[in-house]
Amino acid sequence: METATIESQSYLTFKLDQEIFGSTVNHVLEIIEVPKITKVPNAPTFMRGVINLRGRVLPVVDTRIKFGLPSVEDTVETCIVVLSIKVDGQEIVLGALVDAIKAVLEIEEDQIKPPPSIQSGYQSEFIDGMVKNEEDFILLLNMEKVFSTQEIVFLKEAEENSTTKEKNETKTKQHAK
Amino acid sequence: MESLKHIFIQEATELIGQLEEALLHFEKDLSDEASVEQIFRIMHTLKGSSGMFGHDSINLFTHELESVYDSIREKTLVAGPEILELTLESLDHIKNLVSDPENQEYQKEQDRLTKKIIGLKSNSKPEGSEVQAEDEMASSTYYISFVPDKEIFINGTNVFYLLEDLLSLGKGFALPCFNPNQDFETVDVTECHTSFEVMLETTAKEHEIQDIFVFVADTSEVSVIKLDLTELPDGLEERLIKEHTYSKSIGLETIKKELGVRDSNDKKEVSDNQNNKNDAQTNVKTSRKTGPSSIRVSSEKLDGLMNQISELITTQARLSMLVNGLESAELSAITENMSKITRRLRDNAFSICLIPIDTLMIRFQRLVRDLSKGLNKKIDFITEGTDTELDKSVIEQLGDPLLHLVRNCIDHGIETTEERKKQGKPETGTIRFKAYNAGTNVVIELSDDGAGIAPEQIKKKALEKGLIGADEELSTEQVYELIFKPGFSTSEKVSDISGRGVGMDVVKRGIEDLRGEINIDSVINKGTTFTISLPLTLSIIDGLLVKIGGHVYVIPLQAVEKCYEVPTTLLTSASKQLVLDGERTPVFHMREVMGASDEAPKISQIIKMSYMGNDLGISVDSIIGEHQVVLKPLGYIYKNQEEFSGATILGDGTVALVFDKSKLVKKLMNHTTNTINHGNSNHRKPVLSDV
């Protein structure tokens, strides 16, 4: 970071449970209200279903479940963030359900601190870094990594989840078949 | 650079295809000069474009080939079967070169073929070659008038290159002439308004001059007139320029006057000849013009168009629904009109994506030709209705299964010539390919007049392979169905053509992937007919809208055999045997399979389907009705949900999932014992997704 000008980037911040997360706006196509979601039977639970986005069938991921958080009923604040990410070299578009949208922030690069260590309870490979904004800590997510894995991403490595993780692994193996 | 490469491959493949077609046509009638002309022209284009894209080996190789046909054209070489054989072989080689230009292994093949080709040429130099050589030494002068077509620039032709080529044949000059009627204020600069007159002194022959204009001769006016002069006098150019107004062509007469040549009979004859030639050319021109003109569009653009149109259709459906509730006459009139236009637009757009099945035929004709020669059988391949159109992606995927069927017909179906004689059949066997439209389907019939399929033989074989039990009673249809089972091959000997035991099951799967169906009908010693029925396009399907657990699903109508009503109480577990029409049929309770949570209806509908000759049923809560749906992919994320071929958007804007019959059945069969887990209640536990 020896450049004279400080690089800054726009981040979309959103709320999930009690945490605030950020994603670079480069991946964000739009934010929409939650329409009627058609469930796809027998799909992993974090896949909420598909919606009609102006004539296009868009898969929707329940980000809460994807992150290993308890699911709640949708509220008026619940939104779908339409993301475009690259998976296996393929451009895919998907919707991510989030509890609420906060803001778009300009974050300078030198404000970003390295991802928290393991004991803080987050799996660091999905997090690009952290930023302190007023009173909140914002976790900057690597959206491509988060949504390109076919499994549930465990942000909180609580003990109760270890069993689920095992199951999850068997599930991934099954996927491999 | 990558994209250029891609363009070349595409173009070359097309050219090779055309060439193959022309060659096969030529083979039927070796005296057909138009074919030779066409072959030569295509080769020339191929040579040019390979040179342009830097494929030197293809360029050199085609050059050699081209010169063979040049000789045929000039009648210094007589076309025979061995030349054709060699050309086709060479064509295969070029195909390899195009697809994999880096591969060094092809070099040997190329050397071998080049040697053969050169051998051809030197072998059959005609007796008159010395005379010709003398001819070539003598130079003569020509007056060439070239009036380019107005739209010549649109084709990317550079007129100056043509002139340069022309002047490189000898000594001479070109004088331009501008159309005086053009106003510089209003002139269309994309058009060509200049014509040229060229005086040329050359040792080249007249047709060589004509050759330069071979690609523009169709649209532009070119006349080459031989003058009674061996060389151009000095200072002619200066003299002509002095009097040239540039707004009117100088004309042959003026030049002749300038040259002091008198009209002679001899010359007249030449120009008469020229006229004849021109006539001939116009004939060619008109015959080519009758074919529809076309433009090349990338399939991505078409896909985009189709997507937008299906969006429009869904939006239109919603609008119509809304207007129905409003009771405004004016508005409904507009909406109705709009829906008409939308429908027309949709039909039009779909027809754009359709291409005639013709494109596959060249491959088959070639196959029949090569294989029948190899097997020493005489076979006529007759095609009918090859202008029947199918979706481009269907045709692409149809190629291999059909190829396999044709192979089977040649290898197993048609008997050897002796065998046929014994049977009292004509020596030449016939394979007939027939395609036609039937409703929203396209039907392809492939039939041969060969040995037919003996049911007993199939049964015996199936028994040996353990595909059926010894005491199984099978109907003839069921016996034929055995042919499509994996691991079944009736060929006594394993040949390199077919009979590897993979084959018919692959054919069947390939066709089912296209949501098509294949049936066999056979009479011993009379022949076999395969009937393939395919949907027109992959993106529109006729579906049956059903409701399971409060959600709407679409079952392809083609999968539905029959519907029954039963009390839901009969359906107690995910899979159960029920008696339908007096036959025990496994029925899958979809409410259980899908994990429906709402209250079950008193009466359930059972939809009977048939899969690999077996009947089975699935239960649904209710049947809503028939609906034509536009299929959309579910996308990468749901790639493991194979039982759905996609989703569609209903009139009210919601999404309904579309079942893929064969994959659904396969999945149901595999999981009859495992209750398929469905996580509705507890989100914390990831549910085993069933893959």
Side-chain angles (χ1 to χ4, degrees):
Chain A
M1 309 298 136
E2 283 164 344
T3 39
T5 53
I6 299 161
E7 297 276 325
S8 80
Q9 248 193 328
S10 299
Y11 282 84
L12 174 78
T13 60
F14 53 88
K15 214 175 108 188
L16 267 186
D17 212 18
Q18 301 306 315
E19 308 280 350
I20 309 268
F21 295 94
S23 155
T24 147
V25 291
N26 295 344
H27 294 308
V28 180
L29 298 180
E30 62 184 310
I31 297 158
I32 53 170
E33 282 177 28
V34 185
K36 185 172 183 259
I37 301 180
T38 303
K39 213 170 149 43
V40 179
N42 305 328
T45 34
F46 63 80
M47 274 137 78
R48 184 68 96 78
V50 285
I51 59 162
N52 166 17
L53 178 69
R54 291 187 302 277
R56 171 177 196 166
V57 175
L58 184 83
V60 176
V61 175
D62 194 328
T63 320
R64 276 178 155 271
I65 306 171
K66 180 97 184 164
F67 285 3
L69 298 165
S71 84
V72 290
E73 285 285 307
D74 291 347
T75 65
V76 279
E77 289 207 293
T78 313
C79 286
I80 293 176
V81 182
V82 182
L83 299 166
S84 163
I85 56 171
K86 257 207 166 102
V87 177
D88 296 342
Q90 240 182 315
E91 197 80 27
I92 64 165
V93 178
L94 58 85
L97 265 178
V98 297
D99 287 354
I101 294 293
K102 296 301 255 187
V104 175
L105 296 177
E106 280 293 310
I107 297 176
E108 283 158 13
E109 219 164 76
D110 61 350
Q111 288 180 327
I112 301 175
K113 295 178 182 63
S117 54
I118 301 290
Q119 54 262 56
S120 69
Y122 299 96
Q123 254 180 13
S124 51
E125 58 168 308
F126 298 109
I127 298 165
D128 279 346
M130 290 179 71
V131 151
K132 194 173 188 300
N133 179 43
E134 289 158 15
E135 291 310 299
D136 302 320
F137 269 105
I138 300 169
L139 286 166
L140 303 180
L141 291 170
N142 184 328
M143 287 307 204
E144 290 201 335
K145 273 192 187 152
V146 169
F147 288 104
S148 63
T149 46
Q150 277 279 317
E151 54 195 284
I152 290 175
V153 180
F154 291 93
L155 279 179
K156 295 218 162 113
E157 293 244 283
E159 275 170 52
E160 48 163 311
N161 274 358
S162 61
T163 44
T164 352
K165 193 178 178 187
E166 273 169 31
K167 263 193 188 170
N168 194 35
E169 270 164 9
T170 46
K171 188 206 78 188
T172 330
K173 270 180 207 152
Q174 281 206 339
H175 269 291
K177 277 188 222 162
Chain B
M1 202 51 214
E2 266 310 301
S3 73
L4 280 182
K5 222 166 155 184
H6 192 74
I7 291 171
F8 170 68
I9 291 177
Q10 208 177 0
E11 195 179 311
T13 318
E14 246 168 57
L15 285 171
I16 291 169
Q18 284 172 16
L19 197 52
E20 221 165 4
E21 195 183 349
L23 281 167
L24 291 170
H25 189 76
F26 181 50
E27 191 183 27
K28 286 199 189 113
D29 181 10
L30 285 173
S31 59
D32 186 5
E33 283 177 27
S35 292
V36 181
E37 195 63 42
Q38 197 191 358
I39 291 167
F40 178 75
R41 207 194 321 252
I42 299 168
M43 279 180 176
H44 193 82
T45 317
L46 186 62
K47 183 176 90 173
S49 79
S50 59
M52 201 153 72
F53 287 98
H55 287 276
D56 291 339
S57 61
I58 301 178
N59 184 298
L60 285 172
F61 190 66
T62 20
H63 175 75
E64 295 297 340
L65 265 184
E66 183 199 66
S67 55
V68 170
Y69 281 85
D70 195 25
S71 315
I72 296 176
R73 206 166 60 136
E74 283 174 30
K75 306 229 165 45
T76 57
L77 191 68
V78 180
E82 67 287 345
I83 291 183
L84 268 164
E85 197 64 47
L86 184 62
T87 319
L88 285 170
E89 213 179 316
S90 308
L91 211 55
D92 289 338
H93 173 63
I94 295 173
K95 259 185 235 172
N96 289 338
L97 281 179
V98 169
S99 60
D100 189 5
E102 307 298 326
N103 198 328
Q104 295 299 323
E105 277 176 34
Y106 296 137
Q107 194 53 49
K108 252 192 228 155
E109 175 76 2
Q110 170 142 358
D111 291 344
R112 187 180 69 82
L113 286 169
T114 313
K115 233 180 247 159
K116 265 181 143 175
I117 294 167
I118 293 173
L120 264 185
K121 277 190 288 179
S122 55
N123 272 345
S124 39
K125 267 278 171 210
E127 316 78 55
S129 58
E130 281 128 56
V131 184
Q132 204 185 343
E134 268 170 34
D135 256 9
E136 271 168 19
M137 293 312 290
S139 71
S140 38
T141 52
Y142 294 93
Y143 165 80
I144 301 142
S145 148
F146 172 40
V147 186
D149 181 47
K150 267 190 181 176
E151 291 180 351
I152 196 163
F153 298 139
I154 294 171
N155 300 331
T157 311
N158 189 329
V159 178
F160 292 117
Y161 288 165
L162 292 174
L163 292 175
E164 242 170 63
D165 282 350
L166 189 60
L167 292 176
S168 70
L169 289 175
K171 205 172 77 179
F173 57 88
L175 294 173
C177 167
F178 307 101
N179 186 347
N181 299 329
Q182 280 297 331
D183 181 6
F184 273 99
E185 298 285 321
T186 56
V187 66
D188 184 348
V189 289
T190 63
E191 292 182 346
C192 180
H193 301 288
T194 313
S195 60
F196 298 91
E197 286 170 294
V198 181
M199 294 301 298
L200 182 68
E201 174 193 330
T202 175
T203 56
K205 278 175 279 148
E206 198 175 317
H207 72 82
E208 286 177 63
I209 298 172
Q210 290 278 2
D211 276 355
I212 289 176
F213 297 103
V214 69
F215 296 111
V216 295
D218 276 357
T219 47
S220 304
E221 286 171 43
V222 179
S223 63
V224 181
I225 290 158
K226 193 175 176 183
L227 300 172
D228 247 1
L229 218 69
T230 45
E231 53 188 55
L232 291 173
D234 290 333
L236 176 68
E237 188 178 359
E238 285 77 18
R239 270 183 284 156
L240 285 175
I241 287 174
K242 220 190 280 171
E243 291 179 18
H244 197 8
T245 56
Y246 294 108
S247 61
K248 198 167 158 270
S249 59
I250 304 165
L252 188 58
E253 292 308 312
T254 326
I255 290 173
K256 271 185 203 153
K257 229 181 267 165
E258 196 63 52
L259 289 170
V261 212
R262 294 262 151 258
D263 242 329
S264 77
N265 284 340
D266 174 39
K267 206 189 318 136
K268 213 172 185 185
E269 218 168 85
V270 173
S271 45
D272 274 353
N273 266 347
Q274 188 47 51
N275 282 343
N276 286 343
K277 230 182 204 171
N278 273 347
D279 283 347
Q281 259 167 5
T282 9
N283 282 342
V284 173
K285 178 172 146 191
T286 41
S287 70
R288 211 172 305 149
K289 277 263 170 86
T290 48
S293 71
S294 62
I295 52 163
R296 199 191 298 251
V297 182
S298 80
S299 30
E300 272 152 56
K301 278 189 192 165
L302 286 181
D303 289 346
L305 178 73
M306 294 306 293
N307 267 336
Q308 270 149 20
I309 285 173
S310 34
E311 261 174 62
L312 184 67
I313 292 168
T314 14
T315 318
Q316 170 66 44
R318 293 178 69 179
L319 184 68
S320 301
M321 245 166 64
L322 209 70
V323 169
N324 276 343
L326 286 177
E327 286 177 20
S328 154
E330 215 173 330
L331 191 59
S332 31
I334 295 173
T335 323
E336 207 162 287
N337 202 9
M338 210 178 117
S339 101
K340 249 186 245 160
I341 296 169
T342 314
R343 234 185 347 256
R344 273 211 297 270
L345 183 66
R346 181 197 65 189
D347 290 347
N348 251 327
F350 279 133
S351 74
I352 290 174
C353 298
L354 300 178
I355 54 173
I357 203 158
D358 208 3
T359 41
L360 284 173
M361 288 308 115
I362 305 152
R363 255 170 98 190
F364 295 158
Q365 253 149 10
R366 180 77 195 277
L367 182 87
V368 172
R369 179 193 172 278
D370 287 1
L371 280 188
S372 56
K373 270 203 179 153
L375 290 166
N376 218 355
K377 292 178 181 177
K378 279 188 193 155
I379 298 172
D380 265 347
F381 186 63
I382 298 170
T383 57
E384 245 177 86
T386 51
D387 52 348
T388 310
E389 288 181 323
L390 267 169
D391 195 272
K392 191 172 165 290
S393 50
V394 177
I395 286 198
E396 272 163 13
Q397 286 178 62
L398 192 63
D400 286 336
L402 272 183
L403 205 68
H404 213 98
L405 283 181
V406 175
R407 265 189 194 159
N408 260 307
C409 285
I410 301 167
D411 202 21
H412 304 316
I414 305 281
E415 315 91 328
T416 53
T417 319
E418 299 88 65
E419 182 79 33
R420 288 185 73 88
K421 265 191 211 159
K422 237 186 272 169
Q423 301 264 0
K425 288 184 185 178
E427 266 180 51
T428 312
T430 311
I431 294 177
R432 193 179 294 272
F433 179 99
K434 190 174 163 190
Y436 55 91
N437 281 308
T440 54
N441 283 325
V442 166
V443 178
I444 295 171
E445 280 177 17
L446 189 71
S447 51
D448 63 51
D449 63 348
I453 303 171
E456 290 73 42
Q457 223 172 326
I458 298 171
K459 256 185 173 162
K460 208 179 98 197
K461 198 90 183 175
L463 210 61
E464 269 171 42
K465 305 245 165 174
L467 293 171
I468 51 166
D471 49 353
E472 252 179 88
E473 285 281 331
L474 294 169
S475 67
T476 324
E477 267 171 44
Q478 278 170 316
V479 172
Y480 288 146
E481 197 70 24
L482 287 171
I483 297 173
F484 295 117
K485 289 254 157 112
F488 184 91
S489 170
T490 46
S491 182
E492 302 290 321
K493 264 184 290 170
V494 173
S495 68
D496 63 334
I497 294 153
S498 55
R500 266 158 303 180
V502 293
M504 293 309 269
D505 59 316
V506 179
V507 171
K508 176 144 182 149
R509 205 162 347 120
I511 285 165
E512 277 185 348
D513 282 348
L514 294 167
R515 292 205 315 274
E517 272 180 38
I518 178 164
N519 289 305
I520 313 177
D521 191 26
S522 181
V523 179
I524 297 172
N525 286 333
K526 282 272 190 288
T528 311
T529 304
F530 292 94
T531 310
I532 300 166
S533 162
L534 291 163
L536 256 185
T537 107
L538 286 184
S539 51
I540 299 190
I541 55 170
D542 279 317
L544 191 68
L545 251 55
V546 299
K547 215 171 208 171
I548 305 169
H551 291 286
V552 176
Y553 296 91
V554 179
I555 300 173
L557 207 55
Q558 157 242 339
V560 178
E561 302 243 308
K562 210 166 172 182
C563 299
Y564 302 88
E565 260 179 22
V566 295
T568 312
T569 44
L570 269 181
L571 302 158
T572 44
S573 62
S575 137
K576 213 184 164 195
Q577 298 271 337
L578 286 182
V579 179
L580 300 173
D581 279 349
E583 296 220 9
R584 284 180 73 81
T585 315
V587 172
F588 298 93
H589 192 19
M590 294 307 278
R591 286 185 62 85
E592 288 287 323
V593 178
M594 301 285 190
S597 51
D598 66 336
E599 204 183 313
K602 282 207 177 71
I603 297 207
S604 285
Q605 309 284 332
I606 291 176
I607 292 166
K608 192 168 95 175
M609 311 196 240
S610 141
Y611 179 70
M612 301 290 258
N614 299 317
D615 284 344
L616 65 108
I618 62 168
S619 77
V620 299
D621 294 351
S622 60
I623 291 171
I624 300 169
E626 256 184 74
H627 195 63
Q628 202 174 57
V629 298
V630 181
L631 194 69
K632 291 169 181 271
L634 269 183
Y636 180 84
I637 289 196
Y638 284 110
K639 65 176 193 293
N640 288 322
Q641 265 56 51
E642 279 186 326
E643 67 266 42
F644 300 109
S645 53
T648 189
I649 291 157
L650 300 175
D652 62 355
T654 56
V655 182
L657 298 168
V658 181
F659 281 115
D660 180 316
K661 174 191 137 195
S662 51
K663 286 185 176 132
L664 171 72
V665 173
K666 223 177 278 168
K667 204 159 169 173
L668 288 171
M669 299 270 208
N670 290 344
H671 291 272
T672 41
T673 43
N674 319 354
T675 323
I676 296 162
N677 225 331
H678 194 79
N680 237 349
S681 46
N682 191 348
H683 281 305
R684 291 235 65 170
K685 272 192 219 149
V687 169
L688 296 186
S689 96
D690 120 82
V691 181

